[in-house]
Amino acid sequence: MLVEQAITSADKLFLQLRNDIVEGVIPAGQKLSENELSTTYQVSRAVIREGINRLESCHLVERRANVGARVVALSATGLVELYDVRESLEGMAARLAARHMSDDEIDELFALLTEHHSTAKDGETYYQEAGDVDFHYRIVLGSKNQQLIQFLVNGIYHLVRMYRVQLGMAGPRVSTAYDEHLQIVKAISNRDEELAEMLMRRHILYSRNNIQTKLSD
Amino acid sequence: MLVEQAITSADKLFLQLRNDIVEGVIPAGQKLSENELSTTYQVSRAVIREGINRLESCHLVERRANVGARVVALSATGLVELYDVRESLEGMAARLAARHMSDDEIDELFALLTEHHSTAKDGETYYQEAGDVDFHYRIVLGSKNQQLIQFLVNGIYHLVRMYRVQLGMAGPRVSTAYDEHLQIVKAISNRDEELAEMLMRRHILYSRNNIQTKLSD
DNA sequence: CAACACTTAATTGTCGACAATTTAACCTAG
DNA sequence: CTAGGTTAAATTGTCGACAATTAAGTGTTG
């Protein structure tokens, strides 16, 4: 789906670290010792530093000069802030997708939805995980806005996923989400930019409220 | 206004490089040779690489493995994409500012506008440059959303400024922009999130159209 | 016993050298 | 003269060591 091939060893390390952080193998808030990582992953500190720099670009770690890097801490306010940004950017993505997606791409999007809807009947977890992600990715890519794609795909989505994984969000909202997705695609199909943006924003707002209630448990 | 102090030599180099790129001292699209920069700025290549990494985080340079880094190229489509993202994010910032700014902060914002309006009477350039930037900064900071602040202040704004500087945008739109700013602050003062977002989005849309016409000269 | 200063250990920042890869220049073959 | 391949130069990637800074520990003094 999204080919992200590693060329240098810094690439490989970055991808592994990012995954370990998102999945919680390296817990949120933990200090990242360069020496420790260097021996753990069997690469020089230069590679480690390069990797940490890139993680900082993704907002997954925070660095302070002469002190070091820590994995970001997850908090309720952090989640709210993240979803506000996401609502804004993905709303714009939906608007631009309605403007720029080809008819073929829209057809594929319809096909994707029905496919996911049918498979969700059996094991409902699949849709929530991969299906939802896939849907949002296609909209974002459909915007054809490189800047927007960068921000969301290489930045925000990993943080969103980190919240989802570490707060244990696999929950329901499957059937209702499907309907919301369908309405969004219809709006895009009708080239109704205004509606597409509005529906996407509400969809994310609902999603956020859903997570927030779980957070206060 | 915004204290961005450099601690390490990599910090200093980063700030200088960023400035040189935005101001066009290092022209858009140019290759950044590590050796060359290393001798020019009298620091080791490690520092140069660190600086380039951070510039990449700002989307001011693009890197390819085993090939090197180049300053981003300025294009019409790039500008449009940038402004779409900016419209989206700053619209959200205005909405959140209407929700989170204190009454005192709003008062200061009003004061800032009238002050800038009076000084603009004489030398009109001042308002467009510093005043406009200052206004937008305050709104963004008023959102109290760290994620949003990061994206805009440390990312997009430098690119926007790069476009402005290198395409020679000092132009008019002063008086009309003032009125638009005033309306936005009024909406924020009334805690009307919906209107504040809408007005900010239109304000940026106008600004973009204004620049776009100049671009096609 | 608390607070401050000093010393020491650990961590990050910076450097120069070597390895791996890419780019170019050149040469050869068709 | 062009196309392809080979070698050489230049550039980026990686490494280990040293310098600078921070954090921890220790002791001293009020």
Side-chain angles (χ1 to χ4, degrees):
Chain A
M1 170 184 153
L2 187 71
V3 261
E4 200 173 20
Q5 56 184 345
I7 298 178
T8 69
S9 46
D11 291 339
K12 287 192 265 290
L13 176 84
F14 165 65
L15 291 178
Q16 176 154 11
L17 274 183
R18 190 181 66 185
N19 194 68
D20 287 353
I21 289 174
V22 168
E23 299 293 333
V25 177
I26 302 176
Q30 185 171 87
K31 173 86 188 293
L32 292 179
S33 163
E34 294 182 2
N35 270 321
E36 195 179 329
L37 293 174
S38 175
T39 57
T40 303
Y41 292 95
Q42 290 294 319
V43 286
S44 96
R45 270 184 58 219
V47 175
I48 300 290
R49 285 174 69 84
E50 174 108 15
I52 289 180
N53 275 332
R54 295 198 211 170
L55 291 172
E56 197 187 9
S57 305
C58 305
H59 301 251
L60 286 176
V61 315
E62 289 168 349
R63 266 183 91 184
R64 274 177 33 192
N66 288 316
V67 175
R70 316 192 75 90
V71 178
V72 291
L74 303 184
S75 68
T77 63
L79 182 66
V80 170
E81 292 188 354
L82 186 62
Y83 265 73
D84 279 336
V85 174
R86 199 187 155 197
E87 177 187 324
S88 162
L89 287 179
E90 285 207 45
M92 177 58 78
R95 170 185 289 272
L96 295 177
R99 195 182 306 168
H100 295 309
M101 274 182 100
S102 73
D103 292 339
D104 287 348
E105 287 174 319
I106 295 175
D107 287 344
E108 287 175 27
L109 202 47
F110 270 119
L112 186 82
L113 278 193
T114 55
E115 177 195 344
H116 283 162
H117 189 53
S118 59
T119 56
K121 290 278 170 64
D122 322 324
E124 292 207 347
T125 47
Y126 172 66
Y127 180 69
Q128 178 75 340
E129 283 293 351
D132 186 68
V133 169
D134 203 357
F135 172 77
H136 285 273
Y137 265 61
R138 297 219 185 191
I139 302 280
V140 172
L141 295 181
S143 76
K144 311 287 171 73
N145 184 317
Q146 287 307 119
Q147 199 84 24
L148 196 55
I149 293 171
Q150 273 278 2
F151 274 119
L152 285 169
V153 173
N154 294 328
I156 290 180
Y157 277 177
H158 297 288
L159 239 177
V160 169
R161 189 164 144 66
M162 184 174 170
Y163 269 101
R164 271 203 195 156
V165 170
Q166 304 207 15
L167 298 182
M169 302 297 151
R173 238 185 83 67
V174 177
S175 51
T176 67
Y178 167 75
D179 204 55
E180 289 165 25
H181 285 184
L182 187 63
Q183 302 249 9
I184 291 171
V185 180
K186 279 184 182 170
I188 291 177
S189 178
N190 291 331
R191 306 298 182 183
D192 189 336
E193 300 181 8
E194 200 73 24
L195 185 61
E197 174 167 17
M198 198 180 101
L199 289 176
M200 179 60 89
R201 287 184 67 157
R202 295 212 173 176
H203 171 59
I204 292 173
L205 202 61
Y206 295 153
S207 174
R208 161 183 141 175
N209 291 339
N210 184 56
I211 290 186
Q212 256 186 305
T213 56
K214 295 210 174 187
L215 193 75
S216 50
D217 294 346
Chain B
M1 170 185 158
L2 187 71
V3 263
E4 199 173 19
Q5 56 184 345
I7 297 177
T8 69
S9 47
D11 291 339
K12 287 192 265 292
L13 177 84
F14 164 66
L15 292 178
Q16 175 154 13
L17 273 183
R18 190 181 66 185
N19 194 68
D20 288 353
I21 288 174
V22 168
E23 299 293 333
V25 177
I26 301 175
Q30 185 172 87
K31 173 86 188 294
L32 292 179
S33 163
E34 294 182 2
N35 270 320
E36 195 179 329
L37 292 175
S38 176
T39 57
T40 302
Y41 292 95
Q42 291 293 321
V43 286
S44 97
R45 270 184 58 219
V47 175
I48 300 290
R49 284 174 70 83
E50 174 107 16
I52 289 180
N53 276 332
R54 295 198 212 168
L55 290 171
E56 196 185 10
S57 305
C58 306
H59 301 251
L60 286 177
V61 315
E62 289 168 349
R63 265 182 93 183
R64 275 176 33 191
N66 288 317
V67 174
R70 317 191 74 89
V71 178
V72 293
L74 303 185
S75 68
T77 62
L79 181 66
V80 170
E81 292 188 355
L82 185 63
Y83 265 75
D84 279 336
V85 173
R86 201 189 153 193
E87 177 187 325
S88 162
L89 287 178
E90 285 208 45
M92 176 58 77
R95 170 183 289 272
L96 295 177
R99 194 182 306 167
H100 294 309
M101 274 183 102
S102 72
D103 292 338
D104 287 348
E105 287 174 319
I106 296 176
D107 287 344
E108 286 175 28
L109 203 48
F110 270 120
L112 187 81
L113 279 192
T114 54
E115 178 195 344
H116 283 163
H117 190 53
S118 58
T119 55
K121 290 280 171 64
D122 322 324
E124 292 206 346
T125 47
Y126 172 67
Y127 180 69
Q128 178 74 339
E129 283 294 349
D132 186 69
V133 170
D134 202 358
F135 173 78
H136 285 273
Y137 265 60
R138 297 219 184 192
I139 303 280
V140 171
L141 296 181
S143 76
K144 310 289 170 70
N145 183 317
Q146 288 307 120
Q147 198 85 24
L148 196 54
I149 293 170
Q150 273 278 2
F151 274 120
L152 284 169
V153 174
N154 294 328
I156 290 182
Y157 277 176
H158 297 288
L159 239 176
V160 170
R161 188 164 144 65
M162 184 173 169
Y163 269 101
R164 271 202 194 156
V165 170
Q166 304 207 14
L167 299 182
M169 303 298 152
R173 240 185 82 68
V174 177
S175 52
T176 68
Y178 167 77
D179 204 55
E180 288 165 27
H181 286 184
L182 187 62
Q183 301 248 10
I184 292 171
V185 179
K186 279 184 182 171
I188 291 176
S189 177
N190 290 331
R191 305 298 182 183
D192 188 337
E193 300 182 8
E194 200 75 24
L195 185 61
E197 174 167 16
M198 200 178 100
L199 289 177
M200 179 62 89
R201 287 183 67 157
R202 295 211 174 176
H203 171 59
I204 291 172
L205 203 60
Y206 295 152
S207 173
R208 160 181 140 177
N209 290 340
N210 184 54
I211 289 185
Q212 255 185 304
T213 55
K214 294 211 176 186
L215 192 76
S216 49
D217 294 344

